[in-house]
Amino acid sequence: MKSSRIPGFYKKTIEERKELIHSMYPFTEEELATLSAEAPLAQDIADNMIENVVGTFQLPLGLGLNFLINGKEYIIPMAIEEASVVASASHIAKIVRDAGGFTAESTDRVMIGQIQVVGCPDFQQAKTAVLENKDALIKAANEAFPSIVRRGGGAEDLDVRILNEEADSAFGKMLIVHLYVNTVDAMGANLINTMAESIAPLVEKITSGKVYLRILSNLADRSLARARCVIPPHLLKTGDFSGEEVRDGVIHAYEFAASDPYRAVTHNKGIMNGVDPVVIATGNDWRAVEAGAHAYAVKDGQYTSMTTWWKDEQGNLVGELELPMSVGTVGGATRVHPLAKMALKLLDVSSAKELAEVIVTVGLAQNLGALKALATDGIQKGHMTLHSRSVAIAAGATGEMIDIIAKELIKINEIRVGKAKELVEKYKR
Ligand SMILES: CC(C)(COP(=O)([O-])OP(=O)([O-])OC[C@H]1O[C@@H](n2cnc3c(N)ncnc32)[C@H](O)[C@@H]1OP(=O)([O-])[O-])[C@@H](O)C(=O)NCCC(=O)NCCSC(=O)C[C@@](C)(O)CC(=O)[O-]
Ligand SMILES: NC(=O)C1=CN([C@@H]2O[C@H](COP(=O)(O)OP(=O)(O)OC[C@H]3O[C@@H](n4cnc5c(N)ncnc54)[C@H](OP(=O)(O)O)[C@@H]3O)[C@@H](O)[C@H]2O)C=CC1
């Protein structure tokens, strides 16, 4: 059985890391070649994915290690441009595995399709009529996409809302039909849009109104994933800071984010530092996940922290994160981009539900990584040390010079491009 606990992985060369991964997974030579390819995404595939292609854009792909989720080992592919994120996720996963690992769960994977109807002669009557025809509409939606029904999913329920009912509303009344669709292992946008478009004429007939929009909602609040960790304080001890101090610092940091949208946005950006790289690496739609996550972070009209941190009766630090997670293990680019296929194999998830649980766990770990650093040494120490190589490259360092300049920047504690440029010039002389 593979273990994601690989101490000092980061100290190995890229080739050594790949060999190690090769020894743990039954990858074919062709799949391994994808990791080493100069351009893993061939231009002809890229040209068929989007429009006006002139090239491909690459990001570093790193592995988040040490993750134990629901008792299972996970090696987590993360595609991201920002230094210290992969290190931080692995760092927290190492601590949490010593506390027994993360637990994660998710709801059924139900996505929402919206149909907008305007100009109904009587909106209440139209609402009643749609509800009376619920079964016929669900049947028609499923007839428009029978394959998803054969896969165990399909349209399951339907609801109706009337917007702008108040006399002083700035906008006109509209009837919104919500079609609830189990998308099984797909994110489901295309199948939901097909269903919504196909039942629109029937909705018009039933409501005597005019349908305009027929599209899924990215507020996927019926497709939620949740992660949790419970950490005894002794595992949080950092330098001169006691575990209790770190725990309390993390809780204060959470309370700041929970009380102030200016802080919540940054706090949540730190969570998405963990979420997005896995969403991207697996070929999923990160705009959809981002939009859903931030909308779900609005509670009682206020934008707030996505995570919750508190102290339990035993004095443990407890953290939870729940997010809408509209991701798939099929569809979109997941089976088109060669690295996305590799990423899904590395993750070894058997369903979109499991993938969603892993992603939300990485978000929780990432949040704790940032809060732990912020509540102790500050973010610059760990982050800027790892960022120093990018600074050296930005200043024009190449080859062996990168390491030398980066180390010098850390030594003199001046990790900035201007200083790095001076050092590069000096080195070249
Ligand atoms: C950077 C660390 C992890 C060092 O932390 P450390 O205590 O020096 O780590 P360590 O040496 O004790 O190592 C522990 C484990 O961390 C991992 N690790 C350790 N170093 C590496 C490395 N070089 N490469 C890969 N993995 C690494 C690795 O798994 C290692 O285990 P080992 O393999 O040794 O058994 C820590 O300082 C940290 O987590 N800092 C926070 C970094 C962070 O949050 N970055 C995000 C960017 S800042 C931002 O955008 C978000 C923010 C901050 O604004 C959000 C907010 O405000 O809330
Ligand atoms: N607002 C938004 O977020 C929007 C997003 N998009 C884009 O839509 C794409 C995602 O849509 P999606 O419908 O998921 O993608 P696809 O249409 O690419 O793939 C989904 C299809 O995969 C097939 N499939 C095979 N195995 C399974 C399985 N186990 N479970 C479910 N389906 C399976 C099904 O078709 P079959 O049964 O016929 O084989 C299903 O319809 C993304 O690229 C996204 O960027 C598009 C519009 C709007």
Side-chain angles (χ1 to χ4, degrees), residues 170-336:
F171 307 110
K173 263 191 208 175
M174 54 185 81
L175 189 94
I176 308 298
V177 178
H178 276 197
L179 186 65
Y180 299 118
V181 184
N182 180 337
T183 59
V184 194
D185 289 320
M187 182 267 205
N190 291 326
L191 71 96
I192 286 180
N193 298 342
T194 304
M195 286 182 174
E197 287 183 12
S198 77
I199 65 169
L202 186 53
V203 170
E204 280 189 337
K205 203 168 145 200
I206 292 168
T207 59
S208 301
K210 179 164 174 50
V211 166
Y212 278 96
L213 268 60
R214 297 138 295 162
I215 188 81
L216 99 156
S217 167
N218 287 111
L219 182 48
D221 58 4
R222 293 182 176 224
S223 214
L224 297 171
R226 239 170 264 123
R228 180 185 166 95
C229 61
V230 181
I231 313 172
H234 72 270
L235 293 177
L236 292 167
K237 189 177 165 11
T238 305
D240 292 338
F241 296 88
S242 72
E244 284 75 12
E245 279 177 301
V246 177
R247 176 198 64 202
D248 295 346
V250 168
I251 294 169
H252 284 304
Y254 153 67
E255 288 174 351
F256 182 7
S259 328
D260 176 25
Y262 284 93
R263 173 58 202 153
V265 172
T266 322
H267 177 97
N268 292 344
K269 184 273 183 189
I271 294 168
M272 301 316 279
N273 270 349
V275 168
D276 287 340
V278 193
V279 175
I280 294 170
T282 54
N284 275 289
D285 184 338
W286 69 94
R287 288 87 54 210
V289 172
E290 277 276 345
H294 290 286
Y296 196 64
V298 177
K299 305 269 152 72
D300 300 325
Q302 175 161 321
Y303 183 83
T304 185
S305 168
M306 291 173 182
T307 49
T308 314
W309 293 98
W310 73 96
K311 180 173 86 167
D312 72 8
E313 280 174 2
Q314 289 74 43
N316 299 313
L317 176 68
V318 187
E320 263 180 15
L321 173 62
E322 179 180 84
L323 288 178
M325 203 41 74
S326 56
V327 290
T329 50
V330 297
T334 58
R335 302 282 169 104
V336 177

Side-chain angles (χ1 to χ4, degrees), residues 5 8 10 66 82 84 88 91 94 263 269 273 374 386:
R5 176 81 195 103
Y10 60 96
N66 307 324
E82 188 176 10
S84 82
S88 186
H91 171 66
K94 182 179 170 188
R263 173 58 202 153
K269 184 273 183 189
N273 270 349
L374 287 167
L386 293 174

Side-chain angles (χ1 to χ4, degrees), residues 343-381:
L344 283 166
K345 280 204 168 185
L346 274 165
L347 269 173
D348 189 22
V349 288
S350 61
S351 64
K353 208 170 146 60
E354 191 181 349
L355 174 61
E357 290 167 7
V358 169
I359 293 172
V360 84
T361 302
V362 184
L364 181 65
Q366 205 69 51
N367 182 225
L368 181 55
L371 298 190
K372 180 170 171 283
L374 287 167
T376 56
D377 297 324
I379 200 71
Q380 294 301 73
K381 186 170 173 244

